[in-house]
Amino acid sequence: MNLSKKPKLLIVMDVLAATLVIGALILILFFTPVEAVMGPVQKVFYFHVASAWAGMLSFILAAAAGAAYLITRRINWDWLSLSAVEVGLVFSLIAILSGMVWAQPIWNTWWVWDPRLTTTAIMELIYLAYFILRSGLDTPEAKARLGAVYAIVGVITVPLTFFSIRLFRTIHPVVIAPTDSGTAFNMSPRMLTAFITSLVVFTVLLADLVWNRYRLARLQAQNLEEAR
Amino acid sequence: MPEPHSDPARIVLAGLVKRYHNRPVLDHLSLSLEGGQFCILVGANGAGKTTLLRILATLTRPDEGEIQFFGEAWEPFPALREKIGYIGHKPMFYLDLTAAENLHHYARLYHCDDPSEQIQTALHAAGLQNDQHKPVRTFSRGMQQRLSIARALLHEPEILLFDEPYTGLDQPAAQTLDRRLRDLRSPKRIILMSAHRPQRLLTIATHIAWLQNGIISHHLPVAELHTAPALQDYLQETA
Amino acid sequence: MKGFTAYLRAIWHVIQKDIRVEWRGRQGVPVMLVFSLLIVFLFNFALQLSPDLQAGLSAGLLWVSLAFASTLGLNRSVSLERENNALDGLLLAPVDRSAIYFGKALSNFAFTFLVALILLPVFSLFYVQNMLKLPLILFILLGVGAYTSLGTLLATLSIQARTRDVLLPILLYPLALPILIAAVEGSRGALIGQPLAELQSWLFLLLASNILFHAAGLMFFETILEE
């Protein structure tokens, strides 16, 4: 077992990410106004959108790292791609769950077939399929090569899915569907500050988690090497 | 379409690396083969013989290394593949199609517009002209093997790669293969053949190459085998 | 130019070979057809469908049965190449390997499209409405084209895995969702007689999917098959 020491910069980043998340939480809970129509539950919005953003960003990162693997054939890119997918899955799950928490009091139902929420759920399924694909492959090279292709083709379909569901929604309006006026509210300057802060904080958190997961992937590979 | 090369066939491999599970199976392997060589490739199971043959057949991509065919770099693949004939572990046929239909399919992929005459010659050489309209599913292992060789020769390749062609053949079929291989030798052609039990080939082949630890440790004419006692011992062991 | 004709020819040879194998073995189209009819019966009772089905439901039913049946055809088409390593034989051919992809994708397209054409009169019979309409056939053409181009790529990808028998639907369905939404909606509109101008968003979505997934096949097919 070769547990190389954790890089100092990564430790700094862990602490930074944790502090930022707590800071953003305090900012949202105590320093943003309560939205007039929706009430306190609207505060879910900040982390909900931020985690959806982080999820999407990591899937794009996974596809980009996959492309980098296919060009350079350096296995490190695959570790990055895999890490991004895993972290992205968690962020997307948080986005879906917080979306449900938000939807319940506002539309009186846990699930709405809203294009954004549905697309996020489909993305979750795409990247679960990604893991099922990898688990059926034997060599790390095949996992990396075919995983990269699937991550790239997968990310291509996400905008198609989003547009097709949105178009579908405009044709089949449902009573409880979130109309644009339902979710849109005018953000006060303090709300906007908290919103942008959340986006930044979650991006830092994403970078920190992906880095940690990448390090884990490297250690795993080294460990396997030594076990041989 | 590039002009067919007039130089005798020549393969140069330098620093070839192929990794599985991040471990090199081929580890900076180098080898050069000249036209007229019939080289047996020996080595233990899992030494990388199949990997090496598949790389030469352009079916597997090496991780590192340089390959030259006929003094030219390895790319682009499509034109190069016209010069390569490959006979792998499995016969590569569609079992529901007849022998003639299978050959027809392959001949046309190699740009033969009216291949019927070529196919008849090939079937005749393989001794299968009476069975040509039977589905390949009904063929014995030996018949499939002969058809396989006929397929690989359709486009008259200058480089012939065989992967363990004797596996699963009974005695008469193996003797037929011996004769066929003698006929295939030509000053313009390179033949590289992996063989688990190489003894019977020592009278047919011109050279022998030993693949171990990811490299070709020995490559010499069969006539000079006495200069490499380690290889001689190895051949004794596998006998 | 000569290289390009050789390329087109290679595509045609692969298609011809697939048609010949299908004709001999009859293991693709009949299997797809029977399977899609079974799905129609299952859904008919599971969803308690009435003979005077709404256009939306019959379009949906048509596409669900086609999508499921096509998965069988796609799996069959690539396992045919796996058997006896016939795929190696194709990869040895002196043509760019994307030609093999296009050949396989087009023959898969032809077989699934044929199944759809047989299903249309059957649906007309079962659900008392004329489904042999040109705009509907246009949507089937585009929908099946996009679906089989993506499906051929992913089927080739999934045979590399140990879990190949179960993998294709899991890989294919989440990615094919936009194709199916557009195909169902376009077909529904065509069935109730909406003019094509009103359905052009779906037409564009399907056209875009066709271009995108064929391009993906062109780019990644060789990468998928190299070891």
Side-chain angles (χ1 to χ4, degrees):
Chain A
M1 190 73 167
N2 173 11
L3 260 182
S4 62
K5 259 182 105 182
K6 197 165 176 169
K8 279 226 174 64
L9 191 57
L10 184 54
I11 299 173
V12 172
M13 211 158 147
D14 287 346
V15 176
L16 179 70
T19 319
L20 281 176
V21 170
I22 295 167
L25 211 55
I26 293 170
L27 181 68
I28 290 164
L29 289 180
F30 301 111
F31 296 96
T32 57
V34 173
E35 212 269 333
V37 186
M38 290 187 257
V41 73
Q42 177 269 333
K43 294 195 177 206
V44 165
F45 160 82
Y46 302 105
F47 276 15
H48 167 70
V49 177
S51 49
W53 152 260
M56 193 63 228
L57 203 62
S58 23
F59 293 139
I60 293 172
L61 175 65
Y69 171 78
L70 291 180
I71 295 165
T72 63
R73 302 286 165 155
R74 285 176 52 95
I75 198 77
N76 305 48
W77 286 116
D78 180 55
W79 298 338
L80 181 60
S81 189
L82 175 67
S83 309
V85 169
E86 258 187 47
V87 174
L89 267 178
V90 176
F91 275 119
S92 303
L93 190 64
I94 293 172
I96 292 169
L97 293 179
S98 56
M100 289 165 78
V101 169
W102 190 11
Q104 216 289 324
I106 305 295
W107 297 297
N108 207 22
T109 172
W110 289 106
W111 184 259
V112 282
W113 290 93
D114 159 78
R116 282 157 296 193
L117 198 56
T118 314
T119 306
T120 312
I122 300 291
M123 257 173 16
E124 199 79 357
L125 289 171
I126 292 176
Y127 291 98
L128 285 175
Y130 171 90
F131 282 109
I132 296 173
L133 167 67
R134 287 183 74 111
S135 69
L137 296 165
D138 289 325
T139 66
E141 292 83 5
K143 283 179 205 272
R145 181 166 47 87
L146 301 180
V149 171
Y150 195 69
I152 295 168
V153 179
V155 118
I156 292 174
T157 65
V158 170
L160 286 179
T161 306
F162 178 76
F163 283 120
S164 60
I165 298 175
R166 202 171 73 171
L167 213 54
F168 183 86
R169 280 285 126 218
T170 57
I171 294 170
H172 307 261
V174 275
V175 187
I176 50 165
T179 55
D180 275 342
S181 59
T183 47
F185 47 87
N186 290 323
M187 277 195 265
S188 70
R190 268 195 292 167
M191 283 179 168
L192 194 65
T193 315
F195 175 61
I196 292 169
T197 310
S198 305
L199 289 185
V200 174
V201 168
F202 268 63
T203 310
V204 175
L205 182 62
L206 164 72
D208 179 61
L209 289 175
V210 170
W211 191 352
N212 272 298
R213 179 63 187 83
Y214 173 85
R215 195 171 156 265
L216 186 65
R218 207 187 58 210
L219 290 175
Q220 259 174 342
Q222 283 171 357
N223 213 11
L224 266 179
E225 193 89 339
E226 278 161 27
R228 248 160 234 283
Chain B
M1 213 55 42
E3 289 295 307
H5 240 267
S6 50
D7 295 347
R10 196 176 135 77
I11 301 175
V12 180
L13 308 175
L16 207 61
V17 177
K18 179 68 189 176
R19 296 185 193 88
Y20 289 110
H21 294 282
N22 295 323
R23 282 279 156 120
V25 175
L26 304 183
D27 193 0
H28 296 92
L29 175 148
S30 298
L31 174 68
S32 79
L33 298 166
E34 304 286 331
Q37 277 197 20
F38 183 145
C39 182
I40 327 169
L41 185 62
V42 300
N45 274 336
K49 299 188 298 270
T50 296
T51 303
L52 177 57
L53 287 167
R54 286 182 68 88
I55 287 176
L56 288 174
T58 75
L59 292 172
T60 294
R61 190 184 131 127
D63 295 325
E64 285 169 39
E66 248 179 78
I67 303 176
Q68 285 188 354
F69 280 12
F70 318 103
E72 284 172 37
W74 207 32
E75 321 249 351
F77 284 159
L80 252 180
R81 286 199 287 260
E82 261 171 61
K83 298 178 177 150
I84 301 168
Y86 172 72
I87 290 124
H89 283 289
K90 290 185 179 167
M92 303 181 206
F93 290 121
Y94 300 95
L95 297 179
D96 284 330
L97 299 185
T98 66
E101 282 170 339
N102 269 298
L103 289 188
H104 195 79
H105 164 61
Y106 283 113
R108 294 207 310 173
L109 282 177
Y110 283 97
H111 312 309
C112 309
D113 287 327
D114 183 26
S116 16
E117 200 175 316
Q118 254 169 297
I119 289 171
Q120 287 315 313
T121 322
L123 283 166
H124 193 83
L128 290 169
Q129 63 275 41
N130 294 327
D131 301 297
Q132 57 171 300
H133 297 305
K134 290 181 188 158
V136 175
R137 193 180 292 286
T138 62
F139 279 23
S140 69
R141 166 84 188 146
M143 288 160 84
Q144 289 197 6
Q145 184 70 272
R146 277 182 278 153
L147 189 61
S148 217
I149 294 170
R151 174 193 55 73
L153 289 171
L154 271 177
H155 54 293
E156 294 169 5
E158 291 157 75
I159 296 169
L160 261 179
L161 307 164
F162 289 84
D163 196 1
E164 305 281 358
Y166 284 91
T167 310
L169 294 190
D170 55 17
Q171 201 50 37
Q175 278 160 4
T176 315
L177 182 57
D178 287 345
R179 278 197 301 278
R180 192 85 172 99
L181 290 175
R182 278 201 180 86
D183 296 341
L184 287 177
R185 286 179 305 192
S186 132
K188 279 203 156 190
R189 184 174 276 152
I190 294 178
I191 302 177
L192 184 62
M193 173 184 291
S194 71
H196 193 56
R197 292 167 180 277
Q199 278 71 24
R200 74 178 307 136
L201 288 164
L202 291 177
T203 54
I204 308 171
T206 64
H207 287 66
I208 185 161
W210 190 8
L211 177 57
Q212 53 176 348
N213 303 324
I215 55 163
I216 299 288
S217 62
H218 295 72
H219 177 219
L220 46 104
V222 172
E224 293 169 22
L225 201 51
H226 57 89
T227 63
L231 179 53
Q232 265 183 320
D233 289 348
Y234 176 78
L235 294 179
Q236 286 296 323
E237 279 168 37
T238 57
Chain C
M1 204 57 224
K2 200 177 161 207
F4 188 63
T5 13
Y7 185 82
L8 291 182
R9 272 201 177 143
I11 296 176
W12 174 235
H13 295 330
V14 174
I15 298 172
Q16 250 187 333
K17 183 268 302 169
D18 272 357
I19 293 174
R20 185 167 277 153
V21 172
E22 175 62 25
W23 184 249
R24 264 312 133 64
R26 294 193 183 87
Q27 285 166 326
V29 173
V31 174
M32 281 196 263
L33 198 59
V34 171
F35 189 63
S36 54
L37 287 175
L38 286 172
I39 290 169
V40 172
F41 276 90
L42 278 178
F43 270 72
N44 187 69
F45 294 109
L47 303 178
Q48 303 180 342
L49 302 178
S50 63
D52 52 346
L53 207 55
Q54 295 170 356
L57 280 179
S58 55
L61 190 55
L62 175 72
W63 277 102
V64 167
S65 53
L66 266 184
F68 284 176
S70 182
T71 319
L72 292 190
L74 288 164
N75 254 338
R76 163 74 197 145
S77 162
V78 286
S79 62
L80 167 79
E81 303 295 346
R82 227 188 100 80
E83 194 178 38
N84 264 314
N85 282 358
L87 188 60
D88 280 351
L90 289 178
L91 297 181
L92 285 167
V95 285
D96 193 274
R97 281 169 182 161
S98 56
I100 298 162
Y101 165 76
F102 285 123
K104 293 303 285 182
L106 283 172
S107 66
N108 286 327
F109 163 77
F111 294 146
T112 307
F113 188 63
L114 181 63
V115 171
L117 287 186
I118 301 172
L119 280 181
L120 285 182
V122 177
F123 266 70
S124 309
L125 197 79
F126 281 179
Y127 297 113
V128 209
Q129 54 183 314
N130 180 17
M131 299 207 26
L132 286 161
K133 290 179 174 161
L134 225 50
L136 176 62
I137 292 174
L138 173 69
F139 276 103
I140 292 176
L141 206 70
L142 287 174
V144 171
Y147 191 80
T148 47
S149 63
L150 176 62
T152 304
L153 184 71
L154 295 179
T156 316
L157 204 151
S158 65
I159 47 160
Q160 319 276 317
R162 265 179 287 112
T163 42
R164 64 185 75 88
D165 301 323
V166 292
L167 203 51
L168 178 61
I170 289 171
L171 296 183
L172 176 58
Y173 295 162
L175 298 194
L177 192 79
I179 302 173
L180 288 180
I181 291 176
V184 169
E185 286 303 302
S187 305
R188 191 191 58 88
L191 272 181
I192 59 173
Q194 272 182 308
L196 278 181
E198 283 176 33
L199 299 171
Q200 56 174 315
S201 325
W202 302 121
L203 274 180
F204 284 141
L205 244 165
L206 286 179
L207 269 176
S209 310
N210 266 294
I211 294 169
L212 222 52
F213 294 133
H214 279 102
L218 177 72
M219 273 180 68
F220 292 126
F221 192 69
E222 174 142 18
T223 311
I224 287 175
L225 287 172
E226 80 180 34
E227 279 167 44

